[in-house]
Amino acid sequence: MTKGYNVLFVTSEVFPYSKTGGLADISNSLPQALNSLGNEVRIISPKYGQLDERRLQIHEIKRLKDLKMDVAGKSTKFSIKSSFIHGKNTKAQIYLLENQDYFKNKGIYQNIKTKEDFSNNDERFLFFSKCVLEILEILQWKPDVIHCNDWQTALIPALLRKVYHKNPHIKDIKTVFTVHNLAYQGDFPKSAFEKTGLPDSVWNEVGGYQKGRFNFLRTGLHYADKITTVSEKYAEEIRKDKSLSCGMGDVLEKRKRDISGILNGIDYNVWNPSVDKVITYRYTYQEIPLKYENKRELLSKFNLPYKENTPLIGMVSRLVESKGMDIMVKALPELLKEDIQMIILGTGEEEYQKFLMNMKKKYPNKLIVQIAFDENLAHHIEAGADMILMPSKYEPCGLTQMYSLKYGTVPIVRNTGGLSDTVIDYKKADGNGFLFNKFDAKEFLATVKNAVSIYRKNKQKWYTIIRNGMALDYSWKVSAAKYMNLYKKLTS
Ligand code: ADP
Ligand code: GLC
């Protein structure tokens, strides 16, 4: 076995402590996968609101209690607590940063009542990033690599190079910056830069391009030693397609030799119908009839009848434009004229939530809508639905379609980003789903109708599609090794 690396994995969400989307799942599963390859990966993340410390087995660390940090001219106290996330035969230590000024509320990025972004998100994540670097000396454990994720942690490489560069204990640590979604950038007025303590040279190097604003993501792209995105296709798209480079084209071009795409992996101890702890009827690809028992149960929970030849189409998604909600809105009234049943679980923008609730009123016998973030229901939908919709405008990776493949829930997806890298069109012998190209309601609708028709008329083909999907292995096996290789390149 190659020598393992010490890695501090810095992230703004980790399941089960916090979650708004796929990043939380990755922050749980990737460190464990890397640890099983002989690395020592420890995670660090904010501790939002009041977690049940006993249930989650969160402990104090005496020497990391009541520390002080200055941010934006204010001094604030923080403590680092410790816990472990566990898999079947794997685990990873997690440090949780507790602070009353910035992370007292339950919301991760937004006020959970008003659904508005916290007005001090710049300070919150600057504070977090500075604490991460500050505690390295007292941790009594030194990482070879700090692995940052998304804009919330993107200042760390610059802080390391420009503020902590004289500290002999940490100055030689390397950085990896993984971009899970280039559209979320942490873009703030210039006053945010002034809070960072970064020298003016940083502003001149990165700030000048930003029309007087300070962009966390851009700063990360500029200073990280290596950059990754979460699928190969998305890595290519953000460099070639202006509409997807989100204003970062110049810095992506400059860093092209240091950017790579590594497809996310799935934790098959959690998202797997044969071991899933949430669902009632566990099944393998040889036991598809049991899948239909889950479907029956799911429908009955919402008082809808189970009908032999009527597909149940699911969607589990943030209800935002990038997830394809615009074309959903256009396609749904037409789609609901078909003999189908649908279940949609999501939270997000008010207009989409309202639209879905209205549609539910119109079609109470066909459509289930749950405006909620409900981890258990997400598992029940993966197990009980026949198909899942992901008409994304763009998709850096997407975990939902990979979960669906394992559950024999046929994905109907737009041909973009990680969806292109994981879903194979049903027309091919090894096809496992349905793809459409244009971001267009008509094409989307036609693709869903075609899937419904095959479901109904060609069961043999349908089972082949299901089996092809369930047979695939999108575990971390391959991708974790790729990250390890990247750490190796950086440190040798
Ligand atoms: P993204 O991170 O862009 O939202 P992914 O497909 O990578 O998309 O990951 C989405 C994750 O969030 C999945 O684990 C999915 O089950 C979960 N999820 C999304 N919306 C909800 C919801 N309303 N309730 C429960 N889980 C959700
Ligand atoms: C982001 C992306 C999603 C990806 C997830 C985990 O939220 O939108 O495509 O799967 O991060 O990397």
Side-chain angles (χ1 to χ4, degrees):
M1 196 184 273
T2 9
K3 168 190 166 294
Y5 302 94
N6 284 356
V7 179
L8 186 61
F9 193 89
V10 193
T11 175
S12 57
E13 35 184 296
V14 189
F15 185 79
Y17 308 93
S18 52
K19 175 166 173 175
T20 70
L23 172 63
D25 290 0
I26 299 308
S27 301
N28 175 303
S29 58
L30 173 58
Q32 294 191 72
L34 283 163
N35 286 348
S36 69
L37 294 179
N39 300 289
E40 179 159 2
V41 182
R42 299 185 186 181
I43 307 158
I44 184 161
S45 191
K47 174 171 167 278
Y48 306 96
Q50 303 296 316
L51 295 180
D52 184 340
E53 298 201 357
R54 268 185 61 178
R55 188 178 64 82
L56 291 164
Q57 302 195 358
I58 300 172
H59 304 288
E60 274 186 0
I61 310 175
K62 276 219 176 87
R63 64 175 193 291
L64 297 177
K65 203 178 158 199
D66 292 334
L67 306 172
K68 263 211 242 139
M69 168 58 71
D70 293 335
V71 169
K74 283 175 286 186
S75 177
T76 177
K77 260 198 211 165
F78 70 97
S79 299
I80 303 286
K81 295 190 166 174
S82 168
S83 180
F84 281 89
I85 50 172
H86 292 272
K88 201 172 165 206
N89 297 310
T90 51
K91 64 177 184 175
Q93 185 171 9
I94 172 163
Y95 296 115
L96 292 156
L97 183 150
E98 187 178 76
N99 169 264
Q100 289 305 308
D101 293 315
Y102 295 110
F103 299 119
K104 191 173 83 186
N105 295 322
K106 220 173 150 191
I108 299 179
Y109 314 119
Q110 297 180 335
N111 180 315
I112 47 174
K113 282 200 191 111
T114 64
K115 293 225 175 140
E116 276 177 23
D117 284 359
F118 291 118
S119 59
N120 64 345
N121 269 344
D122 58 336
E123 249 176 78
R124 294 172 78 229
F125 292 105
L126 167 66
F127 166 73
F128 172 53
S129 301
K130 284 181 76 172
C131 291
V132 168
L133 293 170
E134 200 64 39
I135 61 161
L136 283 177
E137 239 176 303
I138 22 183
L139 216 49
Q140 295 173 358
W141 171 80
K142 187 180 169 188
D144 303 302
V145 176
I146 298 180
H147 190 149
C148 304
N149 294 276
D150 278 351
W151 74 263
Q152 293 85 356
T153 63
L155 293 188
I156 288 177
L159 288 166
L160 188 63
R161 295 288 162 259
K162 301 288 177 175
V163 177
Y164 288 81
H165 59 295
K166 289 192 185 123
N167 183 330
H169 184 74
I170 62 174
K171 71 175 182 21
D172 57 337
I173 297 175
K174 302 290 187 224
T175 55
V176 171
F177 179 38
T178 295
V179 179
H180 295 261
N181 194 330
L182 202 69
Y184 293 84
Q185 302 192 342
D187 190 60
F188 299 101
K190 190 181 177 188
S191 53
F193 177 75
E194 280 141 23
K195 297 175 191 170
T196 62
L198 288 165
D200 287 346
S201 61
V202 171
W203 177 260
N204 295 337
E205 276 174 336
V206 283
Y209 298 94
Q210 316 181 129
K211 304 185 184 79
R213 296 186 63 85
F214 181 55
N215 190 300
F216 278 40
L217 182 93
R218 177 179 276 275
T219 311
L221 292 174
H222 197 94
Y223 287 102
D225 295 316
K226 291 280 178 204
I227 298 157
T228 67
T229 63
V230 286
S231 67
E232 279 177 27
K233 179 80 181 205
Y234 186 64
E236 183 191 312
E237 285 172 340
I238 56 173
R239 285 206 38 239
K240 295 196 175 146
D241 181 342
K242 230 179 156 195
S243 69
L244 293 184
S245 63
C246 304
M248 296 290 139
D250 55 340
V251 63
L252 292 173
E253 178 60 27
K254 202 159 141 191
R255 298 301 315 273
K256 66 181 174 203
R257 276 181 204 87
D258 294 310
I259 302 178
S260 56
I262 301 179
L263 188 72
N264 282 332
I266 297 302
D267 185 345
Y268 285 138
N269 290 314
V270 179
W271 291 98
N272 181 345
S274 65
V275 297
D276 190 319
K277 291 201 181 83
V278 178
I279 63 175
T280 313
Y281 305 94
R282 300 195 186 102
Y283 57 96
T284 63
Y285 75 97
Q286 288 156 319
E287 298 162 313
I288 304 298
L290 285 175
K291 177 172 173 59
Y292 298 121
E293 293 306 315
N294 289 301
K295 174 176 172 181
R296 197 184 284 277
E297 186 193 64
L298 178 61
L299 285 165
S300 103
K301 190 174 164 211
F302 291 98
N303 298 316
L304 288 197
Y306 175 90
K307 292 192 260 173
E308 190 71 41
N309 231 1
T310 303
L312 175 61
I313 306 179
M315 184 169 188
V316 179
S317 179
R318 293 184 288 118
L319 304 175
V320 295
E321 197 205 342
S322 67
K323 292 290 178 186
M325 284 311 291
D326 282 8
I327 58 176
M328 259 308 270
V329 166
K330 288 187 191 139
L332 203 56
E334 191 63 30
L335 186 57
L336 284 164
K337 289 183 188 155
E338 298 282 307
D339 176 19
I340 58 161
Q341 293 170 318
M342 282 192 81
I343 179 159
I344 302 179
L345 168 65
T347 53
E349 284 165 27
E350 195 65 35
E351 62 168 307
Y352 300 129
Q353 296 187 170
K354 271 196 190 138
F355 166 79
L356 291 175
M357 292 311 286
N358 278 335
M359 292 305 290
K360 175 178 151 168
K361 266 191 214 141
K362 264 195 182 164
Y363 294 94
N365 301 323
K366 283 187 168 177
L367 175 64
I368 304 162
V369 174
Q370 287 290 297
I371 303 296
F373 199 93
D374 185 338
E375 188 74 20
N376 284 355
L377 184 55
H379 282 254
H380 287 295
I381 294 175
E382 291 292 2
D386 294 295
M387 310 167 190
I388 205 111
L389 303 182
M390 283 182 86
S392 306
K393 201 165 197 177
Y394 67 88
E395 193 62 70
C397 177
L399 302 182
T400 303
Q401 83 283 6
M402 290 200 261
Y403 299 155
S404 301
L405 287 168
K406 202 46 163 189
Y407 283 78
T409 305
V410 176
I412 302 174
V413 306
R414 181 149 175 269
N415 195 357
T416 181
L419 299 172
S420 307
D421 285 353
T422 52
V423 179
I424 305 163
D425 197 70
Y426 77 101
K427 288 189 203 101
K428 298 190 179 144
D430 56 349
N432 57 30
F434 293 77
L435 291 141
F436 65 100
N437 289 317
K438 224 165 120 196
F439 188 70
D440 170 80
K442 269 194 195 145
E443 244 191 68
F444 172 44
L445 191 61
T447 311
V448 185
K449 281 188 179 175
N450 183 30
V452 169
S453 156
I454 294 175
Y455 172 89
R456 204 166 276 140
K457 295 185 191 139
N458 193 347
K459 277 282 183 287
Q460 207 182 338
K461 175 76 185 167
W462 193 256
Y463 286 122
T464 306
I465 298 171
I466 288 184
R467 264 186 248 113
N468 285 345
M470 291 183 83
L472 282 173
D473 182 356
Y474 286 126
S475 68
W476 275 110
K477 230 180 270 162
V478 177
S479 295
K482 287 188 182 168
Y483 277 112
M484 200 167 161
N485 209 17
L486 193 69
Y487 302 150
K488 184 176 173 188
K489 266 194 209 154
L490 268 178
T491 51
S492 52

